[in-house]
Amino acid sequence: TGIDPIYYDIITCENCWYTTLREYWDRGMATEHYFMRTMHKFKSEPGLRYNLNKWKYDINDVFLAYYFTLFCVNECFNRGRSLIFAKIWLRISWLYASCGDKEMEMYASNQSRDCFLQAFSESLMDDGRNSQPLLIIAGVVCNKVGDRKNAKFFLTQAVMTRGGAEKWKEQAKALTDKFKLR
């Protein structure tokens, strides 16, 4: 109660400050030594406080962690980077929404949409049943930023996924109707 799970989707190494989404923790290619060198500039920044030992984070810690994640993903992921960025920017947009900052929420949503489009063009979302939820999320994000053409495209792809789950197909159809994308 009173804890926002999105605050804890990010993991940071206390030693080197490598930071990423929990699901990608052990998938990066950079070494601890690399991040000790790279993140040193952040550690020594005057006025920058990043307390990793808290049981409860405040919004400033969370934003800092997500922006560190963008940096770290850029540094140590080659394949699949755009899909990871899409997920991070989506979460950042949720954080801005919770703070009531509409301008930054839309900025982060647009970044997420652009990354989802890039991921799709790189065929990173075509793994059948597992891609359906991502296609639906991409469709919702596109609709949110006013990109109705791509919203319809992603939701249609979720419906047309071969071997996909019926529950996701039904949800995509319902969203297509809700957003009046037919």
Side-chain angles (χ1 to χ4, degrees), residues 153-172:
F153 171 77
F154 281 121
L155 292 172
T156 301
Q157 290 297 312
V159 171
M160 294 175 28
T161 300
R162 279 183 288 167
E166 281 304 313
K167 70 176 184 175
W168 295 121
K169 290 180 181 187
E170 292 304 316
Q171 184 174 3

Side-chain angles (χ1 to χ4, degrees), residues 2 40 49 51 55 64 74 87 118 124-125 160:
H40 177 73
R49 280 187 26 249
N51 187 349
W55 284 100
L64 188 57
N74 194 50
K87 292 176 180 181
Q118 182 66 34
L124 296 174
M125 295 170 59
M160 294 175 28

